[in-house]
C-alpha cells in the first residue's frame, strides 16, 4: 500500500514515523521535497517549534534556502565538501549585495550613464533600467537629484537568499 502513495504522501508517512517517538535529535535530508506548500509551511513551523520549545536538536539538509531561512536559526552552506558559510540567517542576509534600480527618459540615458561612471558607481544596464550595486538608495537618490536628471524609476533591490547561496557556491 505504501508504494502506491504519491511522493508527498510517502514523505508525510516517513516524517510521521520519525516524529512518533519524540526524538531528542532529528536529522532530515530534504524534508520539504515533494510536499505541497501548506504542508511545507506546517513542517517548517513544527520543526522550529520542536527546537524552540522542546529542545529537540534539528539538523536539516535542503536546497530550499528560502524555506530553511524561515525554519532554522543557523545555516551552514557547503560546496564541494567545504564549508562556505556558517552563521545565522541574519548573517547570511548581511552578505547580500543591495543596490538600487533606476531609469530615466530615453533622451537622458546617456547622461545618466556618464554621471554614474564619473561618480564611480558600479552599475550595469538591463534594458532601459540601470542596476547600481554597492550603494544605498539615499546616496543614489541624492546624487541623481543634484544632477537634475529626471527619473522614471528609483527603487531598492534586494538579493534573495537563493541568489546569495548560488553566489557562494559558484565554482564549487
Amino acid at each position: 500500500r505504501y508504494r502506491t502513495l504519491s511522493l508527498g504522501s510517502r514523505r508525510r508517512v516517513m516524517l510521521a514515523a520519525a516524529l512518533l517517538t519524540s526524538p531528542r535529535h532529528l536529522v532530515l535530508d530534504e524534508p520539504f521535497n515533494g510536499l505541497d506548500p501548506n504542508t511545507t509551511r506546517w513542517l517548517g513551523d513544527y520543526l522550529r517549534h520542536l527546537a524552540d520549545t522542546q529542545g529537540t536538536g534539528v539538523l536539516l539538509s535542503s536546497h530550499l534556502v528560502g524555506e530553511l531561512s524561515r525554519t532554522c536559526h543557523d545555516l551552514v552552506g557547503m560546496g564541494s565538501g567545504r564549508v562556505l558559510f556558517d552563521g545565522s540567517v541574519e548573517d547570511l542576509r548581511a552578505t547580500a549585495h543591495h543596490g538600487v534600480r533606476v531609469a530615466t527618459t530615453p533622451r537622458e540615458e546617456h547622461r545618466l550613464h556618464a554621471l554614474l561612471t564619473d561618480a564611480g558607481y558600479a552599475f550595469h544596464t538591463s534594458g532601459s533600467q540601470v542596476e547600481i550595486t554597492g550603494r544605498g538608495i539615499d546616496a543614489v537618490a541624492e546624487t541623481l537629484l543634484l544632477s537634475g536628471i529626471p527619473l522614471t524609476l528609483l527603487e531598492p533591490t534586494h538579493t534573495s537568499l537563493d541568489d546569495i547561496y548560488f553566489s557562494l557556491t559558484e565554482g564549487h
Side-chain angles (χ1 to χ4, degrees):
R1 168 104 173 104
Y2 174 80
R3 293 179 194 264
T4 64
L5 296 174
S6 69
L7 173 63
S9 293
R10 286 195 311 265
R11 296 297 282 186
R12 284 190 211 78
V13 169
M14 289 188 298
L15 289 167
L19 296 171
L20 268 176
T21 61
S22 301
R24 291 189 29 79
H25 304 284
L26 194 56
V27 178
L28 300 173
D29 182 28
E30 298 288 353
F32 307 112
N33 187 33
L35 299 179
D36 62 83
N38 289 334
T39 305
T40 297
R41 171 139 309 167
W42 174 86
L43 178 61
D45 292 345
Y46 185 70
L47 293 173
R48 180 94 182 218
H49 168 78
L50 283 176
D52 290 346
T53 65
Q54 308 291 318
T56 303
V58 180
L59 177 66
L60 304 178
S61 169
S62 179
H63 291 88
L64 300 177
V65 180
E67 194 56 46
L68 288 175
S69 72
R70 267 190 16 80
T71 304
C72 302
H73 295 288
D74 296 299
L75 301 172
V76 176
M78 298 188 68
S80 299
R82 292 188 16 227
V83 173
L84 304 173
F85 175 84
D86 182 0
S88 69
V89 173
E90 292 78 24
D91 291 342
L92 182 61
R93 285 189 203 283
T95 67
H97 301 289
H98 300 292
V100 180
R101 183 177 300 117
V102 299
T104 188
T105 61
R107 291 186 342 181
E108 297 288 346
E109 285 178 359
H110 178 71
R111 198 168 139 222
L112 174 63
H113 293 170
L115 171 71
L116 295 174
T117 300
D118 291 346
Y121 283 72
F123 68 94
H124 70 277
T125 303
S126 177
S128 63
Q129 299 179 358
V130 176
E131 304 256 350
I132 303 166
T133 57
R135 302 287 177 102
I137 195 165
D138 292 340
V140 172
E142 182 179 0
T143 299
L144 295 175
L145 179 66
L146 293 173
S147 75
I149 296 173
L151 296 178
T152 58
L153 175 70
L154 173 67
E155 66 183 8
T157 60
H158 303 284
T159 306
S160 72
L161 288 174
D162 286 326
D163 288 339
I164 296 168
Y165 171 78
F166 290 132
S167 71
L168 287 172
T169 58
E170 276 180 352
H172 293 281

